[in-house]
Amino acid sequence: MQPVDFIHQLGFAGLPAEVVDQAKRCVLDLTGVAAAGLSTPLSRTIRNHAAEHFAPGQRAAGLLFDGRKASPVGAALANGMTIDAYDAHDGHPLTKGHAGAGVLSALLAFVQAEGKADGRDFLTALVLGYELGVRAGMALHQTVRDYHTSGAWVAVACAALGARQLGIGAEATRHALGIAEYHGPRSQMMRCIDHPTMVKDGSGWGAMAGVSAAYLAADGFTGAPAVTVEGAGMAALWSDLGSRWRIMEQYFKPYPVCRWAQPAVEAVLSVMRTNRLTSADVERVEIETFYEAARLTTRRPANTEEAQYSLSFPVAAAIVRGVVGPAEIGESGMGDATILRLSEAMTVREDVALSARFPGERWARARLVLKDGRRLDSGDMQARGDAERPLADEEISAKFRRATEPVLGRRDSARLLDRVAALDSEDGALAGFLELLFSPAGSRAAA
């Protein structure tokens, strides 16, 4: 099926049961990550910016867990960046990035602004966004030399969602995709890796560009054909739409840091747990990993972005505290002298054999040098959460509760989890889900 036909013809009945389950898994994980992201300076800044500079007009959409509204374009920007603020959202290895943060944010904007969805339609559109987003990401990596952020290609998927929600024709849909690709943020990811700041993965900017592109195309604005969709040599990437479900290849993160650092975190935790060690036993740590992970060089982070785009810091936090979570990438972790000592003393080296396996596989090995002179090796390890090493549903639900209960309280956290589970089976589930998503968190944490 051609991409434009897939955009307008995909129906809920065409989704395998496991794809529906995966879509709900993605929604649950992304909303939990958004709740955790609320407390970051990044999220506060971008939500205030959207409320002030993207005022709602004839159409409006909410800011996640905030209570305020913005235009659909502004809401997609702010919500995508709020999810991206807490680097624990799902991703796809071959895109070297994340479809979900932009796709969910754009879909929520369109659903609120246009009012055209029930729970099954919502899940169908979400799957559509992942299927187009992942393929557009893979296509972009094949056609350009620079490594661009997720926003560069997720814009195409977000425009496709808009074309579907707005019901525009095939030709206008092609223009929407072309506008989104042309104006999507061709931001260079390794600049943010080397200089971690709030620009991050471009997800919100890509969602904003895609939402805008769909509305422009609906109004008759034209765009050059999307090379990632229609370009020479791209047909094979798109030929399996509806038969190979790329959403099933997503990974889910156990830790709120860059995915590239997580194999090293797993490696040190394996050694620590197997040998029943504490941080008091550890003199120093040596990590070997792939090139991109070795570029995560921040040792003493000064903010959440630097803590999340580091390798040595989360590895040290895992050794000291046995976990990497919100506290570890916040002030508590960044002020921990023991974590900082281990982070600054850590050796991180590239292994070219491990680099050759990236991006399809991400590996690391750790060697812990103990104060008693012993040297303990982890062997080669991958991070948990890949499609081949999935997190159990109970782990994803537990991660969701840890993220949402401090923000929403136990009652509303449980209600939100139930609303997600019922999206495909209960009338009114989407309305209840949206009500919980867009009410201000405020005092709900006490419940």
Side-chain angles (χ1 to χ4, degrees):
M1 186 182 297
Q2 294 298 310
V4 170
D5 296 330
F6 188 75
I7 290 167
H8 292 287
Q9 295 177 19
L10 180 65
F12 184 81
L15 302 180
E18 63 269 19
V19 170
V20 175
D21 289 342
Q22 182 79 333
K24 291 191 289 184
R25 213 172 275 125
C26 291
V27 172
L28 186 72
D29 195 60
L30 290 165
T31 53
V33 169
L38 283 186
S39 64
T40 63
L42 192 168
S43 175
R44 288 195 295 271
T45 301
I46 198 63
R47 282 182 284 125
N48 289 338
H49 177 81
E52 181 175 355
H53 296 286
F54 290 85
Q58 183 178 353
R59 294 177 173 87
L63 305 182
L64 286 164
F65 304 113
D66 182 287
R68 291 177 290 178
K69 292 184 180 295
S71 69
V73 172
L77 168 68
N79 293 336
M81 293 184 82
T82 288
I83 295 170
D84 202 20
Y86 186 72
D87 199 353
H89 46 302
D90 62 26
H92 189 282
L94 297 181
T95 67
K96 297 186 282 187
H98 314 275
V103 164
L104 179 63
S105 300
L107 178 58
L108 289 170
F110 285 123
V111 165
Q112 291 175 93
E114 304 302 324
K116 296 179 181 178
D118 60 20
R120 292 187 171 191
D121 293 333
F122 182 85
L123 292 173
T124 305
L126 186 87
V127 171
L128 169 73
Y130 273 90
E131 296 307 309
L132 270 68
V134 169
R135 288 170 172 82
M138 293 169 63
L140 184 62
H141 289 309
Q142 290 182 22
T143 54
V144 298
R145 294 181 63 185
D146 282 349
Y147 172 14
H148 293 103
T149 64
S150 300
W153 45 265
V154 81
V156 175
C158 295
L161 291 175
R164 179 186 175 94
Q165 292 297 117
L166 297 173
I168 62 179
E171 189 63 19
T173 297
R174 291 182 63 240
H175 286 300
L177 303 182
I179 297 165
E181 184 188 79
Y182 192 86
H183 288 301
R186 290 295 180 99
S187 36
Q188 295 159 320
M189 187 69 230
M190 297 310 291
R191 289 176 59 191
C192 189
I193 294 299
D194 293 338
H195 306 283
T197 63
M198 292 182 184
V199 295
K200 299 195 78 171
D201 195 36
S203 295
W205 215 268
M208 176 182 70
V211 171
S212 180
Y215 280 119
L216 283 169
D219 288 338
F221 200 91
T222 59
V227 176
T228 53
V229 180
E230 300 185 21
M234 294 295 103
L237 265 180
W238 298 94
S239 63
D240 55 4
L241 278 170
S243 58
R244 178 173 185 171
W245 299 96
R246 293 284 186 177
I247 194 173
M248 300 303 299
E249 301 164 5
Q250 297 297 305
Y251 60 73
F252 294 89
K253 290 184 178 182
Y255 314 114
V257 297
C258 180
R259 185 62 172 172
W260 302 347
Q262 298 200 18
V265 171
E266 295 286 1
V268 297
L269 285 175
S270 174
V271 174
M272 295 290 291
R273 291 165 178 167
T274 299
N275 295 277
R276 299 183 179 180
L277 302 175
T278 70
S279 60
D281 299 311
V282 181
E283 179 63 32
R284 68 179 189 276
V285 182
E286 301 169 358
I287 301 292
E288 294 179 339
T289 188
F290 54 98
Y291 169 77
E292 286 78 4
R295 286 276 290 270
L296 299 165
T297 57
T298 301
R299 300 304 181 107
R300 181 182 281 269
N303 53 57
T304 299
E305 283 70 45
E306 291 184 354
Q308 292 181 111
Y309 285 136
S310 169
L311 186 146
S312 63
F313 181 78
V315 167
I319 291 172
V320 174
R321 299 192 177 183
V323 67
V324 182
E328 285 66 46
I329 62 167
E331 292 182 5
S332 171
M334 290 186 285
D336 189 312
T338 305
I339 294 175
L340 294 174
R341 176 187 69 80
L342 284 172
S343 176
E344 291 182 319
M346 196 173 302
T347 300
V348 180
R349 290 189 292 267
E350 178 194 1
D351 182 299
V352 294
L354 299 184
S355 294
R357 304 173 78 167
F358 179 81
E361 300 177 12
R362 299 113 188 266
W363 292 83
R365 67 179 70 94
R367 178 177 297 110
L368 274 61
V369 180
L370 306 186
K371 292 178 179 178
D372 64 11
R374 287 183 293 161
R375 300 166 70 88
L376 303 178
D377 294 314
S378 67
D380 293 355
M381 295 200 69
Q382 291 180 289
R384 293 184 305 118
D386 287 340
E388 298 78 19
R389 303 182 67 213
L391 299 182
D393 283 343
E394 292 77 10
E395 291 182 90
I396 294 175
S397 296
K399 174 186 169 185
F400 171 84
R401 287 191 293 270
R402 287 193 301 270
T404 55
E405 286 180 1
V407 178
L408 306 179
R410 289 186 177 181
R411 183 190 64 183
D412 280 355
S413 173
R415 290 175 64 202
L416 186 53
L417 193 154
D418 289 343
R419 291 300 88 197
V420 174
L423 280 173
D424 62 325
S425 59
E426 186 176 309
D427 290 342
L430 180 63
F433 171 66
L434 296 177
E435 180 183 3
L436 288 166
L437 273 190
F438 294 108
S439 298
S443 61
R444 289 195 285 169

